[in-house]
Amino acid sequence: MWKTLTLATTALALVACSGNKSDEAPADIAATPESTAPDGATPGYSAERNAYFGDMHIHTRNSFDAYIFNVRRDADDAYRFAKGETIKHPSGFDMTIAGGPLDFYTVTDHAEYLGVLPAMNSKSSPLSELPRSKDMFSTDPAKIQAAFQGVGASVRSGDKIEEMYDEPLIDSVWGQNIAAAEKYNEPGVFTTFSAYEFTSVTTPDDNGGFGGGNLHRNVFFRGEAPDRAFSTLDSTNPEDLWDWMDAQRAEGRESIAIPHNSNVSDGQMFRLETYNGDPLDAAYADQRNRNEPLVEITQVKGTSETHPDLSPNDEWANFEIYDELLASNIVSKTKGSYVREAYRNGLKLQEEQGFDPFRFGMTAASDSHVAGGAYAETDFWSKIGIVDGLPFQRGSVPMPGITDWADQPDNQTTKNAKHWFSRWSASGLTGVWAEENTRDAIFDAFRRKETFATTGPRMKVRFFGGFGYTADTLNATDLAKQAYAGGVAMGGDLVGTGEAPRFIAWAIRDANSAPLQRVQVVKVTSSGEAVYDAACSGGANPDANHRCPDNGSSVDITTCTTADGSGAGELKALWTDPDFVPGQRATYYVRVLENPTCRWSTWEANRNGTPPNPDLPTTIQERAYTSPIWYIPPA
């Protein structure tokens, strides 16, 4: 593995850069709407594309685990929340989206036992007479956990609980979710998709049937959706899901699947063999890339970019690491679980065997199970429902009546907080670059992987690669137009000419979040990786080790007030790889870092008047990740 800190001696790493102070108003990174647009285009259409933000991973009462945890909000409530309305959390408080309405939003309830739990709790349904229904619904944490594990074991194994498996009911509720997506879809204003979650889990032999490696995928339909959703009760093998998606596509129903939480996949999400243990081949790679062009890189249950053990020379690798298997305290295997390593392994497979199954772009989401995502550190309500809805339940403050962390009792609530809830994140959102806010335009952006992931803030990031970009391109008023004309955007292939490519990285802060600290380019090859600071706040230049100087920002954790230092409102750079090898394949992506701010757990401790939990980070550096550009050497 390369050293991350390397000395550039033969190439100019930073050709040009600029940075605005945090109190300046940068020009919008999105293109100016075209004066002429195609017939039927919505207002705001731009050929150079606009940035739109959304959450593609939301659960409601119709997901078995959400209902068990006392969630009663439905798809209508979820879409109303995303459009700016206030809804109730199961713990009784109001939830209003941080930062204002989103541009797109999607309910992705678990297909397994979809809508069955609400029916089991309704006297009008025969399912309520099942013996299993008697102890399924409770506010007692122990009974809730038992009910969750009971249904969860069936979902993990793929073995149906026959008396619960009411196929007509499941199909009917799937139809209701489709209808809700149609009801709230408003071209040009707010986009929804018909979607669901495929909930595959591998179970470790030494875990007594609980926990397991996460192989979950969310499946999204461009337009028409089928009458039935393929679930793990049909097959736990994701490759069977791809077969089903291919069959749907042949009938005119286009879809994509987005895996999530590879960080807790126990090394299975990006394993170097098939689900059944066979060698990978070109047909596998083609099918996976066709059906899974994107991966969710960050959400409540941690960030899956990389891990300190995989990237020891990346100072920012230890970010919101969550590594315990689902419903378990067993630590997930690291290798095979993180995106950057998958990029490296994909390049190696390409070089050695002629195919790469890991050519995916990046997205982010919340995975909220309470119908509304908590994206801001200042207003966090976690994910599940009544067991993690209050600060003491998620370990940010001591149990009621206790002021000293040393006096915390050892009970189920504190154990849940220690292993799970205290380590979860206020994250995240997907950004897309699309001509307009419509299903077709946004789905096309998914397909070409012109997407970026943020940990919650709505910072805008653009990334282009080409061979003819100059400082004049970087400073042009029509930068996006010139960049598209002279190269490729994030998600694209850049075919080599023999000379070093030039990359444009451009970021603008979220006005409701912290100023930007730096823009980085992450380079991955089959043999290693490197992280280069490409643009620094305050107009500073990276040093010989490709690192920006300290920008003077700081956080007072006793009040969560911040000093911006030279934090920027806008950063952009024209960057050339100082270690470029013309004949070597490489994957490049951009990572943008904000100034540090208080983590959600510190905000809650301060509001409670108690010290922060000593076992948790006190600050966080919110960030964004772009989909890569793949450099392909000359033939």
Side-chain angles (χ1 to χ4, degrees), residues 359-581:
R359 291 174 52 80
F360 42 70
M362 300 191 200
T363 69
S366 68
D367 195 6
S368 172
H369 279 52
V370 297
Y375 312 107
E377 305 295 322
T378 55
D379 190 18
F380 183 62
W381 50 74
S382 198
K383 158 188 163 72
I384 292 179
I386 63 168
V387 295
D388 67 344
L390 301 176
F392 77 88
Q393 294 173 316
R394 48 184 178 259
S396 60
V397 305
M399 293 284 287
I402 296 173
T403 58
D404 192 328
W405 283 103
D407 297 330
Q408 278 279 84
D410 184 19
N411 57 29
Q412 191 62 52
T413 297
T414 57
K415 288 178 181 177
N416 288 347
K418 177 181 178 180
H419 288 283
W420 304 335
F421 308 146
S422 67
R423 301 173 62 197
W424 288 0
S425 305
S427 185
L429 289 172
T430 294
V432 303
W433 289 101
E435 291 84 354
E436 57 186 343
N437 187 3
T438 63
R439 279 182 179 168
D440 284 348
I442 290 176
F443 198 94
D444 285 346
F446 293 158
R447 267 282 166 218
R448 66 176 178 268
K449 295 172 274 199
E450 198 171 355
T451 62
F452 57 100
T454 90
T455 57
R458 301 183 199 185
M459 62 185 90
K460 298 176 182 179
V461 192
R462 305 200 85 152
F463 185 41
F464 299 97
F467 297 98
Y469 297 150
T470 66
D472 288 341
T473 312
L474 186 72
N475 296 313
T477 56
D478 61 346
L479 189 162
K481 184 175 182 178
Q482 291 193 35
Y484 279 121
V488 301
M490 62 181 83
D493 291 344
L494 185 61
V495 179
T497 63
E499 63 178 307
R502 291 187 169 190
F503 297 94
I504 291 175
W506 186 11
I508 285 184
R509 70 172 287 189
D510 177 350
N512 295 316
S513 194
L516 305 180
Q517 183 191 82
R518 69 188 73 209
V519 170
Q520 301 176 314
V521 176
V522 180
K523 176 186 179 181
V524 184
T525 70
S526 61
S527 57
E529 62 181 52
V531 177
Y532 305 88
D533 288 354
C536 312
S537 63
N541 289 321
D543 61 20
N545 293 316
H546 313 297
R547 288 296 177 266
C548 295
D550 188 324
N551 75 348
S553 62
S554 62
V555 185
D556 182 346
I557 63 169
T558 64
T559 62
C560 286
T561 56
T562 59
D564 289 349
S566 63
E570 176 186 23
L571 289 173
K572 58 183 178 179
L574 179 61
W575 183 84
T576 303
D577 179 2
D579 302 303
F580 177 69
V581 178

